[in-house]
Amino acid sequence: MKKVILIAMAVAVITGAGMGSAFAASAGSNSLNSGTMGFNVGMGNSILGDLGVVTVSGKYFILDDLALVAGVGVQDSSGDFDERFFSISAGLRHYFNMNDFSPFVEGRFSYEDENTTVTGDRTDQNALDFSAIFGAEYFLSKQFSVEGAVGFGFGTITVKTPGFPDRDSTYFGTRTVGVSANFYF
């Protein structure tokens, strides 16, 4: 089900790219201006591999093409497979142009923590990550855009399972960051 939602969001981004010019042209310009704040809701891949985690983040433009970003992700499931997930991130995003199609690059620091219990066996994981993210926003109206992004990251993951030694690993690699919607005010 989660993959279907991601595919639907990707199709919406691609379809919106063709239709959005008419909507954005009628709005005049977009909301990429100094002092503007934005709200972002997206679904993507977490560092720990949780594809269905929904993240909520905010942006504050300190310059027309530069924004501070911060976000949080939370998920809690119960049943035969209990899981608690929490993430927090902060970064800086630079836009290459201020048009309706606005490519960007972002540097982001993230912390993720996940606790999973399956049939009584508990595993705790946490990750510290620095990511470079490349993507673009496309404005469908002055205060609404969709975005897609990919990136690569470097970090450490610690896995703790009671009765076993802690396992630490360092990684470097690409990742899907996901698709999301932005609302500006």
Side-chain angles (χ1 to χ4, degrees):
M1 180 65 178
K2 294 174 187 176
K3 289 181 183 180
V4 171
I5 293 171
L6 267 177
I7 291 169
M9 290 176 74
V11 168
V13 169
I14 292 167
T15 304
M19 298 182 333
S21 294
F23 294 124
S26 67
S29 65
N30 58 43
S31 294
L32 302 179
N33 300 307
S34 178
T36 301
M37 294 191 325
F39 178 71
N40 176 288
V41 177
M43 183 186 328
N45 193 9
S46 79
I47 298 160
L48 297 173
D50 294 311
L51 189 62
V53 173
V54 175
T55 57
V56 178
S57 61
K59 291 182 225 168
Y60 178 74
F61 283 83
I62 54 178
L63 300 172
D64 285 349
D65 62 351
L66 191 65
L68 297 170
V69 293
V72 65
V74 177
Q75 180 174 316
D76 194 0
S77 6
S78 62
D80 292 337
F81 181 82
D82 293 339
E83 181 179 46
R84 281 187 13 253
F85 177 88
F86 173 77
S87 70
I88 189 165
S89 63
L92 197 60
R93 179 180 285 190
H94 171 70
Y95 289 86
F96 292 110
N97 66 49
M98 312 314 291
N99 299 324
D100 292 334
F101 180 74
S102 301
F104 62 81
V105 63
E106 179 179 327
R108 182 187 302 169
F109 175 77
S110 302
Y111 171 78
E112 292 188 3
D113 185 68
E114 178 181 66
N115 304 309
T116 307
T117 305
V118 180
T119 62
D121 297 327
R122 180 182 169 110
T123 301
D124 298 327
Q125 300 183 84
N126 60 54
L128 291 172
D129 178 80
F130 176 76
S131 297
I133 298 165
F134 305 94
E137 281 187 51
Y138 190 80
F139 281 83
L140 300 173
S141 71
K142 181 174 181 160
Q143 295 178 304
F144 177 73
S145 71
V146 291
E147 78 176 57
V150 296
F152 63 90
F154 172 79
T156 62
I157 295 177
T158 302
V159 179
K160 299 177 182 180
T161 304
F164 295 95
D166 292 354
R167 295 171 301 204
D168 295 321
S169 60
T170 302
Y171 63 88
F172 176 78
T174 58
R175 78 168 52 85
T176 303
V177 179
V179 293
S180 59
N182 296 286
F183 306 93
Y184 291 94
F185 47 96

